[in-house]
Amino acid sequence: MGAAREPERVGSTSSAFAYSLRALRLVWETSRPLTVTLLVATLVAGLAPTGAAYLAKVVVDGVIAATDDPAAKVTTFWAIVGEVSLVGLLVVANRVLSLSEQLLKAKLAHTVTHVILERAIRLDLTDFEDPTLHDRLEEARREATQRPLSLVLRSFTLARNAIALTGYVALLAQLSWWAVVALLVAGLPAFIAEARFSQETFRFFRKHSPENRERHYVETLLTREQFAKEIGFFGLGPMLIARYDEMFVALYDEDRRIAVKRHLWGLALGLLGTAAFLGAYLFIVLETADGELTLGQMTMYLVVFRQGQGAVTAALTALGGMYEDALYIENLDAFLEHPIARTAGAAQEGAEAGDGLRVEDLSWTYPGSTEPALRRVSFHVAPGETLAIVGHNGSGKSTLVKLLTRRYVAEEGAVMLDGRRLEEWDEAALRARMSVLFQDFNRFKLTVGENVGVGDVEHMEDRARWEAATKRALATELIDELPEGFDTRLGKAFKDGTELSGGQWQRVAFARALMRRSADILVFDEPTSAADPRRQAELDEQLRAILEHRTAVIVSHRLATARIADRILVLDHGRVIEEGDHDALMERGGVYASLFEAQAAGFR
Ligand code: ADP
Ligand code: MG
């Protein structure tokens, strides 16, 4: 729980390279043949231009020599064949590059997303509620299709240009080491500046990721169906857009400052490069005029110098992008390496069969909160017994439900089933024993049958069970009235989807909680809160029948529902303040009695 381990910072060139190796491994694991193809094509594309430049020199020199020496014609011919072949090879290599890129991109996006999803399903609810981790997950998912491949491609571009540069340097060295120095002088400062500014841009984005997150949230508010109703009614659109603009302006100034600085430096260093080229140009032409260089050599050196500069620029651009991509990989790694807090046990059964559900001295404080939501709560529900939990809003009832169903793992105190802490149980074994209706149950945009079926994934498609569960949840009529019965698709997000009312959804969710036949422990959090009064009375009767001889915990703010239970527990500010059966609690004249009086008064 809490913040994830701080990963290695993408702050230096070496860590950017470390992350590009990491990305390369991802790519390699995704498809070896495609990676090898990509690598070979990169090598070919890197070497072919140097070869072509050299052969161009042979051609020009051959043409000039051919006037005196007929043998030179043959050399020239073969040099042309060689040059054209190399150019052809380059065209092929570039095609192969872009094909393997496209294929790898699709495969890699799938691999990375799959890994992310596999990891996500092993996270605890607490992890999902940790904003840092949640952001990481969102960003990882959003960028999964782009970043890893982009980092690899940019590394390859860098490598390809480095290879080409090595070739150019080798050729230029024969002319003069001064030419090599000129090429590097033109390139290196720009290289260093690029690296520095990439880091600055990177730090800028890192520093402002909360602001960007907020801006993204405002965007979401304005473009999603589920928010449209209230935003439209309350006329929030212009206000939200104004906020959106404000957030942009706040960041833009700093963004512009960095960008302008970056480009001014780029301009100065670019001019330096041009000056270097001019110097080299003059030098080469003068050397040729003096007869020190052949015309062929002049052609070659000019081409090499110009292409060398191009390679330097391309390498720089690649490097700049690599920082950004490395940031993604850093984030992805931080997400994937987030420790699994949940250490699922292996116990198939309890230490004390028949002990039922036991809560001992249980306290719970939400991360980042100062007030505990539960304070030293203890109770025992024997097999066949029903316990009701009542209390004001925010008294900790739903928090208790999440702990009883091991959505949170108890850190102070214990929740035990048959004498064994829940976290020591094998997950599947525990799941088989329990069923739950959460207060904020999910409204899956699946068919209504599947919405019931997911309550027991092993029998998810069993229509007979859907029917039985639906009947017990008093929802048969509801299903029958839907256009396609159980096969009606719910939710408006899909074509022909039907939407249910809040109360109808709750009954479908109730049926879901009754799907699992193996469950001998039932936990219901406000199961009838959305029903109308008549339906509530029917449901109370039905609950009484369902819970007879079952081990159950039922949370309700309606005391009529609570009366079904054998015992009632009153929570207040996370503490158990009263416990007993209805009559005892009424006699006591405490919080329960006053709540009961207040509710009864409402009907008089
Ligand atoms: P009840 O179900 O009794 O109305 P809850 O258990 O939902 O109450 O909430 C108890 C307290 O815990 C409240 O003060 C609420 O603000 C806080 N709380 C509930 N859920 C969360 C959460 N996911 N993260 C942080 N605090 C929470
Ligand atoms: Mg609640």
Side-chain angles (χ1 to χ4, degrees):
M1 190 181 4
R5 186 185 63 84
E6 272 307 306
E8 187 186 354
R9 284 278 181 205
V10 183
S12 64
T13 313
S14 64
S15 55
F17 280 115
Y19 281 114
S20 82
L21 279 182
R22 168 85 178 80
L24 188 59
R25 209 176 69 217
L26 263 176
V27 173
W28 174 249
E29 281 162 9
T30 301
S31 169
R32 291 174 188 203
L34 282 173
T35 311
V36 171
T37 313
L38 200 66
L39 199 67
V40 170
T42 303
L43 272 178
V44 170
L47 288 173
T50 318
Y54 176 76
L55 290 175
K57 168 204 160 247
V58 176
V59 170
V60 175
D61 284 347
V63 169
I64 293 164
T67 31
D68 316 321
D69 177 10
K73 275 189 187 156
V74 182
T75 320
T76 311
F77 172 75
W78 285 114
I80 289 174
V81 171
E83 193 183 340
V84 170
S85 313
L86 278 181
V87 171
L89 198 62
L90 189 62
V91 171
V92 173
N94 280 330
R95 272 285 154 205
V96 171
L97 263 177
S98 84
L99 174 65
S100 39
E101 268 175 40
Q102 195 180 338
L103 297 180
L104 255 180
K105 185 175 171 175
K107 283 195 99 169
L108 192 65
H110 176 248
T111 311
V112 174
T113 310
H114 185 91
V115 171
I116 293 171
L117 296 179
E118 285 279 351
R119 189 68 188 76
I121 61 172
R122 292 165 68 209
L123 289 177
D124 257 334
L125 179 56
T126 330
D127 294 325
F128 276 101
E129 289 174 349
D130 171 359
T132 320
L133 190 72
H134 188 255
D135 276 354
R136 292 213 159 113
L137 169 62
E138 284 298 300
E139 188 187 323
R141 232 164 43 81
R142 201 168 53 236
E143 310 252 311
T145 48
Q146 304 283 350
R147 295 300 189 173
L149 185 62
S150 163
L151 184 51
V152 169
L153 292 180
R154 283 177 167 143
S155 314
F156 279 11
T157 306
L158 190 64
R160 188 175 70 214
N161 284 292
I163 292 168
L165 263 176
T166 316
Y168 298 144
V169 165
L171 288 177
L172 279 180
Q174 294 170 20
L175 166 67
S176 151
W177 279 102
W178 286 113
V180 176
V181 171
L183 184 67
L184 294 183
V185 162
L188 263 188
F191 193 82
I192 292 162
E194 186 66 31
R196 205 178 83 77
F197 284 114
S198 297
Q199 283 174 52
E200 198 167 328
T201 311
F202 163 76
R203 276 197 290 266
F204 172 76
F205 279 114
R206 162 58 53 120
K207 190 168 101 200
H208 294 293
S209 71
E211 283 98 322
N212 283 321
R213 215 178 299 141
E214 198 170 337
R215 207 161 61 163
H216 188 73
Y217 176 65
V218 174
E219 261 179 75
T220 313
L221 281 181
L222 289 169
T223 51
R224 293 277 162 81
E225 168 231 336
Q226 74 253 44
F227 305 115
K229 189 170 48 189
E230 284 198 45
I231 287 182
F233 179 83
F234 291 115
L236 305 181
M239 180 275 291
L240 286 173
I241 289 182
R243 277 200 189 181
Y244 182 78
D245 292 345
E246 260 168 51
M247 284 187 269
F248 167 76
V249 171
L251 290 192
Y252 175 72
D253 284 342
E254 197 174 340
D255 195 8
R256 187 187 53 191
R257 194 182 56 74
I258 298 174
V260 167
K261 208 162 79 176
R262 185 175 187 162
H263 281 87
L264 282 180
W265 273 102
L267 177 65
L269 295 167
L271 286 177
L272 188 69
T274 311
F277 178 69
L278 192 72
Y281 196 178
L282 275 175
F283 176 69
I284 291 165
V285 169
L286 289 178
E287 290 284 283
T288 313
D290 284 349
E292 297 286 326
L293 290 178
T294 64
L295 268 181
Q297 281 171 322
M298 184 184 97
T299 318
M300 176 182 79
Y301 288 134
L302 287 179
V303 167
V304 162
F305 206 86
R306 174 135 281 171
Q307 286 189 351
Q309 280 195 316
V312 169
T313 312
L316 286 182
T317 315
L319 189 74
M322 278 170 68
Y323 277 98
E324 240 178 81
D325 297 337
L327 167 63
Y328 169 81
I329 306 287
E330 180 202 34
N331 173 69
L332 177 68
D333 272 359
F335 171 69
L336 294 179
E337 283 163 19
H338 179 79
I340 300 181
R342 184 167 32 151
T343 44
Q348 297 291 327
E349 53 188 32
E352 234 178 290
D355 187 52
L357 201 57
R358 194 179 279 280
V359 170
E360 272 177 6
D361 250 352
L362 178 67
S363 296
W364 177 261
T365 307
Y366 282 101
S369 172
T370 47
E371 285 293 294
L374 293 175
R375 305 167 206 242
R376 311 199 65 151
V377 172
S378 297
F379 60 82
H380 177 219
V381 189
E385 214 186 1
T386 298
L387 177 74
I389 297 176
V390 302
H392 294 295
N393 280 341
S395 56
K397 305 180 298 291
S398 295
T399 306
L400 184 57
V401 164
K402 286 182 272 186
L403 280 149
L404 288 178
T405 49
R406 220 195 64 171
R407 296 306 86 210
Y408 297 146
V409 176
E411 286 175 352
E412 283 173 68
V415 181
M416 293 186 290
L417 173 60
D418 287 351
R420 195 182 290 286
R421 297 177 72 106
L422 295 190
E423 57 273 27
E424 289 170 12
W425 280 77
D426 171 70
E427 281 197 47
L430 183 64
R431 191 179 304 126
R433 295 283 304 273
M434 281 196 171
S435 195
V436 64
L437 169 60
F438 289 112
Q439 187 174 15
D440 54 352
F441 56 84
N442 280 348
R443 299 163 182 220
F444 293 112
K445 291 176 177 177
L446 304 171
T447 67
V448 64
E450 287 168 325
N451 259 287
V452 174
V454 291
D456 188 351
V457 74
E458 265 136 56
H459 303 282
M460 188 176 156
E461 306 293 339
D462 187 339
R463 296 184 86 96
R465 288 187 193 228
W466 295 355
E467 272 159 31
T470 311
K471 189 161 170 232
R472 294 218 297 156
L474 303 184
T476 308
E477 202 183 320
L478 185 166
I479 305 286
D480 289 343
E481 283 170 5
L482 290 172
E484 318 251 350
F486 276 120
D487 298 316
T488 309
R489 179 111 195 194
L490 297 184
K492 278 285 174 200
F494 298 95
K495 202 167 162 280
D496 299 331
T498 302
E499 195 45 275
L500 299 182
S501 77
Q504 290 172 323
W505 265 115
Q506 195 176 42
R507 256 176 301 146
V508 170
F510 188 37
R512 179 187 307 160
L514 299 174
M515 254 306 273
R516 194 187 310 253
R517 290 182 179 172
S518 59
D520 58 325
I521 294 165
L522 302 173
V523 180
F524 299 144
D525 193 351
E526 306 274 13
T528 65
S529 59
D532 57 62
R534 187 179 59 87
R535 180 72 66 182
Q536 255 175 355
E538 279 172 26
L539 280 166
D540 284 346
E541 270 320 296
Q542 185 66 11
L543 271 170
R544 191 189 297 278
I546 290 170
L547 297 183
E548 186 127 41
H549 308 304
R550 298 291 284 273
T551 316
V553 174
I554 173 163
V555 171
S556 179
H557 68 275
R558 288 187 60 252
L559 301 190
T561 310
R563 283 187 73 171
I564 298 166
D566 302 304
R567 253 179 328 131
I568 299 162
L569 200 106
V570 185
L571 270 188
D572 186 50
H573 290 92
R575 227 180 240 114
V576 178
I577 52 164
E578 289 169 23
E579 186 175 359
D581 64 14
H582 174 77
D583 295 336
L585 288 175
M586 286 307 284
E587 205 165 301
R588 211 184 124 123
V591 172
Y592 179 85
S594 68
L595 275 172
F596 195 83
E597 284 305 324
Q599 288 191 7
F603 292 104
R604 278 185 203 129

